[in-house]
Amino acid sequence: MGNKKKAVTIHDLAQELKVSPSTVSRALNDHASIGKQTKKAVRKLAKERGYRPNTIASSLRTNRSNTFGIMVSWINRPFISSLISGIEEAARESGNRVIISQSHDITELEMENLQVLYDSRISALIVSLAMETTDYSHFELFTKNGIPVVFVDRFPTIHNIHKVHINNFSAAFEATEHLIQQGCRRIAHFGGERHQSIYEDRRSGYIAALKKNNLEVDKSIIIQANLLSAEEGMRLTKQLLDIDNPPDGIFCANDTTAVSVIRCAKSRGIKIPEELAVIGFNNDPICEIIDPPLSSIHHPAIEMGMAAVKQALAILAGDTSTGPVSSVTLDTHVVIRASSDRLGTERSEDGFRGVLPESKVKDSAPQTK
Amino acid sequence: MGNKKKAVTIHDLAQELKVSPSTVSRALNDHASIGKQTKKAVRKLAKERGYRPNTIASSLRTNRSNTFGIMVSWINRPFISSLISGIEEAARESGNRVIISQSHDITELEMENLQVLYDSRISALIVSLAMETTDYSHFELFTKNGIPVVFVDRFPTIHNIHKVHINNFSAAFEATEHLIQQGCRRIAHFGGERHQSIYEDRRSGYIAALKKNNLEVDKSIIIQANLLSAEEGMRLTKQLLDIDNPPDGIFCANDTTAVSVIRCAKSRGIKIPEELAVIGFNNDPICEIIDPPLSSIHHPAIEMGMAAVKQALAILAGDTSTGPVSSVTLDTHVVIRASSDRLGTERSEDGFRGVLPESKVKDSAPQTK
DNA sequence: AATAACAATGCAATCGATTGCGCTTTGCAG
DNA sequence: CTGCAAAGCGCAATCGATTGCATTGTTATT
């Protein structure tokens, strides 16, 4: 183990076959102007000697690294890890590698790590913004140097960008209307940083649904969180449930806080969904696990990752059919479970209902280790 | 956007400063034989022109890519994504990039993707084996070429390897003894593929605990799963609970199947932990979410990732203090929750107990999006 | 048979950074 | 004033693969 014998190069093959390195290179790349015999001989020897192309050298010469960079907040979050899984798969299928980097939701770290990605001369960058980030100038390093940047999920509030996203407004609208249909009349909202458009849009969709249904918009039950973490969720829910006129429904901007709401409510003996109907966002695996199962918005993480790669590839191929920028919107849908199902139509015994989109998610992301 | 002006190189800087590229290179790398003034001037101009080193060129010349390759089964599993998060962080801190690849638990895909990683001339490889994999010859490509391979979690059953792991035997032993202490006398086991040593060891630890406590080892309640998926868990649990003499406790080789056991048992009205005590493995986030909360073995995913990087760095630095191979074993511990706590000492109201190792996990991996 | 056309291969530059070796200058001791 | 070392910097090769252009050998055309 650990021998440091040098790897085989095309020069080694060339020497042995008494041809030039150019010929070897072309033979391996199936260039038209190389004879059949030669190609066969080269490939045979390459295999025998265990030749493997040096991607680094190739990248330097061709100026194409065939590598995508990913910048996300935290790798170990259900939505993000599925997103990455989708990116990895689509990238691999198109012959690209994937370098990964996390910002820990801190803008400064995002900036630092972007430098590293740039130094790696990635072919394209796929980003989901750090929660903190409000200034986007650090992405110009890429755009100004001709490296496509595709934003996924959390994207900047500026116009000239490529992005893959969902319609957060309408998803939130549907979620809220669902609660209203279930009889809720005083619906609270758990929202994230408003400078992140996805959270602002979810908030707007929620408010629009209330207004459309002639329900009061009470800002005292619109909760503002920073990171939408479990701890925040627990702490803020306690406050919310302590007020004189507590809500009878709540729409949370993510599942993590929704779970905290359920746990807090349960500990107080508040019946879900009868006294408090809850719906989250993302359709994380925990939705099916918690008792009662949590209604949510299905957020197509893997598909979003794949779409981002597809979009990056199109840009690299010079596809300008969508104009200077492109925006892909993926579909979401409400997944109704017991936490919001006051009419009792969706209940089951063991909680295993063959809901189509969910089994689909499971197929591509089994919760095994 | 999308201008294709070429990036600044050291030659551009050299020309403008009327010095040689060598000087620029050395100045930027803080080489001793370059004058103070020169260094200052070079760095100033580099900054002004937005110079960024081309890692690809540097890698080619120095034969060091400063890139770690990761090969895992699925990125989007709680344990794996935390593992990767740890790897990414430790790698970044040591100035290394991270390329990621997934095998989907299929050996063939593992082999194919390893080729790609090799072609990228990664500095070191960190692997958690595909469930299927029993032959390890495809890793020789790396070892024979002097590229360190560090196995994490799922490792080969051969000796001359570097690895980071836990003591699966003793963890399983402790888990099983815990069930026995709680009064269980007929304990079942849900195991994974036995050719994967981690699952074989968990099984052995379980059996050893039974024997030590003079309990019968009944193979009819040792369940063999392939992927340890939720579906498998549900299907096999149904069979298990249908037998004449059902178990009063079960130790599962992962949390996913343990959750299935709980859900299946609940749907049949079996009381947990009174009639069936359950303990899983990994301490995934779902453990705290499910009702009743699931006891488990804390599996230090992030720390394992960091340890693997540390180990790889040591090998690259030529550290032979551990001999030709090195093995790092990290600690685990039983996390007792309601699913196995028949004595009722660990209960709480809202399920938020400030268990130290858990809050630690949360700090580094908040369940937010 | 002479020439055009083409197929197959080689030559050498190139991508951007690094580095061993050698050259020039300055400083200082003898 | 000479000699010599150290400081500061440049030359040119190098890493491995790619590619425009030149070259050789072969076949087809008139």
Side-chain angles (χ1 to χ4, degrees):
Chain A
M1 287 193 47
N3 305 331
K4 283 185 183 171
K5 67 174 183 189
K6 271 184 302 189
V8 184
T9 73
I10 53 170
H11 292 87
D12 301 329
L13 301 181
Q15 198 165 24
E16 193 162 351
L17 286 170
K18 300 195 192 313
V19 295
S20 75
S22 334
T23 301
V24 175
S25 172
R26 285 192 260 252
L28 292 171
N29 290 319
D30 207 21
H31 193 283
S33 76
I34 298 293
K36 265 194 166 183
Q37 338 278 340
T38 315
K39 280 184 186 172
K40 196 174 286 179
V42 169
R43 286 178 188 156
K44 182 161 171 283
L45 188 70
K47 195 158 206 172
E48 278 177 24
R49 296 284 170 272
Y51 169 80
R52 290 264 88 211
N54 184 325
T55 326
I56 296 176
S58 173
S59 294
L60 177 60
R61 177 59 227 255
T62 62
N63 202 28
R64 282 180 282 106
S65 67
N66 293 112
T67 302
F68 283 10
I70 305 184
M71 169 60 68
V72 293
S73 53
W74 288 91
I75 296 168
N76 51 344
R77 286 181 189 166
F79 174 81
I80 299 287
S81 63
S82 290
L83 183 72
I84 297 174
S85 187
I87 294 174
E88 193 275 342
E89 194 168 336
R92 179 175 44 73
E93 281 171 4
S94 61
N96 289 95
R97 280 167 295 285
V98 160
I99 301 187
I100 204 166
S101 199
Q102 45 189 350
S103 66
H104 293 189
D105 270 329
I106 297 166
T107 304
E108 199 179 319
L109 209 51
E110 183 174 270
M111 293 172 68
E112 274 180 35
N113 291 350
L114 280 179
Q115 294 279 6
V116 176
L117 290 180
Y118 177 76
D119 295 352
S120 303
R121 296 299 188 270
I122 52 175
S123 307
L125 175 67
I126 297 176
V127 194
S128 178
L129 290 174
M131 185 67 107
E132 277 188 4
T133 303
T134 54
D135 177 85
Y136 316 113
S137 54
H138 44 299
F139 293 104
E140 290 174 6
L141 178 60
F142 296 87
T143 53
K144 285 193 174 170
N145 281 83
I147 300 172
V149 178
V150 177
F151 291 92
V152 187
D153 194 41
R154 290 192 197 149
F155 56 87
T157 53
I158 50 178
H159 293 301
N160 54 339
I161 58 168
H162 301 282
K163 60 176 184 268
V164 172
H165 60 135
I166 56 171
N167 190 329
N168 286 284
F169 179 92
S170 69
F173 188 92
E174 284 175 36
T176 309
E177 276 220 316
H178 160 67
L179 293 180
I180 296 170
Q181 282 162 13
Q182 300 293 317
C184 297
R185 288 296 169 265
R186 182 166 165 73
I187 300 171
H189 173 54
F190 226 116
E193 289 286 4
R194 294 182 60 186
H195 61 249
Q196 285 292 347
S197 64
I198 62 167
Y199 299 119
E200 177 65 18
D201 289 352
R202 289 175 199 178
R203 183 189 149 108
S204 307
Y206 151 82
I207 290 177
L210 295 185
K211 287 190 174 163
K212 183 197 165 199
N213 288 274
N214 300 314
L215 294 179
E216 182 197 5
V217 175
D218 180 356
K219 290 200 174 168
S220 70
I221 56 173
I222 298 183
I223 315 284
Q224 184 62 40
N226 299 319
L227 290 171
L228 291 170
S229 68
E231 290 74 10
E232 256 185 329
M234 186 58 72
R235 183 167 48 78
L236 296 173
T237 302
K238 282 177 181 166
Q239 293 175 20
L240 176 67
L241 297 182
D242 276 340
I243 62 176
D244 290 338
N245 190 8
D248 59 357
I250 182 164
F251 162 55
C252 301
N254 74 353
D255 291 327
T256 306
T257 53
V259 164
S260 290
V261 168
I262 289 179
R263 294 174 70 178
C264 184
K266 279 173 74 176
S267 75
R268 295 183 175 211
I270 297 173
K271 282 180 191 154
I272 297 175
E274 293 80 1
E275 295 172 292
L276 181 68
V278 184
I279 186 165
F281 208 109
N282 283 355
N283 202 20
D284 282 348
I286 45 168
C287 291
E288 290 211 312
I289 305 300
I290 194 164
D291 181 52
L294 175 62
S295 297
S296 194
I297 299 290
H298 177 67
H299 199 168
I302 294 183
E303 291 80 358
M304 288 179 83
M306 292 180 153
V309 170
K310 201 171 161 187
Q311 202 170 350
L313 290 171
I315 300 167
L316 287 170
D319 180 357
T320 53
S321 62
T322 59
V325 295
S326 54
S327 171
V328 173
T329 309
L330 295 190
D331 284 340
T332 61
H333 57 264
V334 178
V335 179
I336 301 172
R337 296 196 184 87
S339 74
S340 71
D341 185 23
R342 289 183 169 179
L343 310 179
T345 52
E346 299 279 337
R347 301 288 167 81
S348 74
E349 285 310 298
D350 60 3
F352 258 49
R353 287 164 291 99
V355 181
L356 199 72
E358 295 189 41
S359 45
K360 194 175 161 196
V361 169
K362 258 178 228 138
D363 278 354
S364 38
Q367 293 305 310
T368 327
K369 193 191 66 62
Chain B
M1 287 192 43
N3 304 330
K4 284 185 185 171
K5 68 174 182 189
K6 270 185 302 187
V8 184
T9 72
I10 53 171
H11 292 87
D12 301 330
L13 301 180
Q15 197 165 26
E16 193 162 350
L17 287 169
K18 299 195 195 312
V19 295
S20 76
S22 333
T23 301
V24 175
S25 172
R26 285 192 259 254
L28 293 171
N29 290 319
D30 206 21
H31 193 283
S33 76
I34 298 295
K36 266 195 165 184
Q37 337 279 340
T38 315
K39 280 185 186 173
K40 195 174 287 179
V42 168
R43 286 177 188 157
K44 183 160 170 284
L45 189 69
K47 194 159 207 173
E48 280 177 22
R49 295 286 171 272
Y51 169 80
R52 290 265 87 210
N54 185 325
T55 326
I56 295 175
S58 172
S59 295
L60 177 61
R61 177 59 227 256
T62 62
N63 202 29
R64 282 180 284 104
S65 68
N66 292 113
T67 302
F68 283 9
I70 304 184
M71 169 60 67
V72 293
S73 52
W74 287 91
I75 296 168
N76 52 343
R77 284 180 191 168
F79 174 81
I80 299 286
S81 64
S82 291
L83 182 73
I84 297 174
S85 187
I87 294 173
E88 192 275 343
E89 194 167 336
R92 179 176 44 73
E93 282 171 3
S94 60
N96 288 96
R97 280 167 294 285
V98 160
I99 301 187
I100 205 167
S101 199
Q102 44 190 352
S103 67
H104 292 189
D105 271 329
I106 297 166
T107 304
E108 199 179 319
L109 209 51
E110 183 174 88
M111 294 173 68
E112 273 181 35
N113 290 351
L114 280 179
Q115 294 279 5
V116 176
L117 290 180
Y118 176 77
D119 295 352
S120 302
R121 296 299 186 270
I122 52 175
S123 307
L125 175 67
I126 297 176
V127 193
S128 178
L129 289 173
M131 185 67 106
E132 278 188 2
T133 303
T134 53
D135 177 84
Y136 316 114
S137 54
H138 44 300
F139 293 103
E140 290 174 7
L141 178 61
F142 296 87
T143 53
K144 286 194 173 170
N145 281 84
I147 301 172
V149 177
V150 178
F151 291 92
V152 187
D153 194 41
R154 290 192 198 151
F155 56 87
T157 54
I158 50 177
H159 293 299
N160 55 339
I161 57 168
H162 301 281
K163 60 174 184 271
V164 172
H165 60 134
I166 56 172
N167 190 327
N168 286 285
F169 179 91
S170 70
F173 188 91
E174 284 176 35
T176 309
E177 276 219 314
H178 161 68
L179 293 180
I180 296 171
Q181 282 162 14
Q182 298 293 318
C184 298
R185 288 296 169 265
R186 182 166 165 75
I187 301 171
H189 173 54
F190 226 116
E193 289 286 3
R194 294 182 60 186
H195 62 249
Q196 285 292 346
S197 64
I198 63 167
Y199 299 119
E200 177 65 18
D201 290 352
R202 288 174 199 178
R203 183 190 149 108
S204 307
Y206 151 82
I207 289 176
L210 294 186
K211 287 189 176 164
K212 183 197 165 199
N213 288 273
N214 300 314
L215 293 180
E216 182 197 5
V217 176
D218 180 354
K219 291 201 172 168
S220 71
I221 56 174
I222 298 183
I223 315 285
Q224 184 61 42
N226 299 319
L227 290 172
L228 292 170
S229 68
E231 290 74 10
E232 255 186 329
M234 186 58 73
R235 183 167 47 79
L236 296 173
T237 302
K238 282 177 181 166
Q239 292 175 19
L240 176 67
L241 298 182
D242 275 341
I243 63 175
D244 289 338
N245 190 8
D248 59 357
I250 182 164
F251 162 54
C252 301
N254 74 353
D255 291 329
T256 306
T257 53
V259 163
S260 291
V261 168
I262 290 179
R263 295 174 71 180
C264 184
K266 279 174 74 177
S267 76
R268 294 182 176 212
I270 297 173
K271 282 179 191 155
I272 297 175
E274 293 80 2
E275 295 172 293
L276 181 68
V278 184
I279 186 164
F281 208 109
N282 283 355
N283 201 21
D284 282 348
I286 44 168
C287 291
E288 289 212 310
I289 305 300
I290 193 164
D291 181 53
L294 175 61
S295 298
S296 194
I297 299 290
H298 177 66
H299 198 168
I302 294 183
E303 291 80 358
M304 288 178 82
M306 292 179 155
V309 170
K310 202 172 161 186
Q311 202 170 351
L313 290 171
I315 300 167
L316 287 170
D319 180 356
T320 52
S321 61
T322 59
V325 295
S326 54
S327 172
V328 173
T329 309
L330 296 190
D331 284 340
T332 61
H333 58 263
V334 178
V335 179
I336 301 171
R337 297 195 183 86
S339 74
S340 72
D341 186 23
R342 289 183 170 180
L343 311 178
T345 53
E346 299 278 338
R347 300 289 168 81
S348 75
E349 286 309 299
D350 61 3
F352 258 48
R353 287 163 293 100
V355 182
L356 199 73
E358 297 189 39
S359 44
K360 196 175 161 197
V361 169
K362 257 180 228 136
D363 277 356
S364 39
Q367 294 305 311
T368 329
K369 193 191 67 64

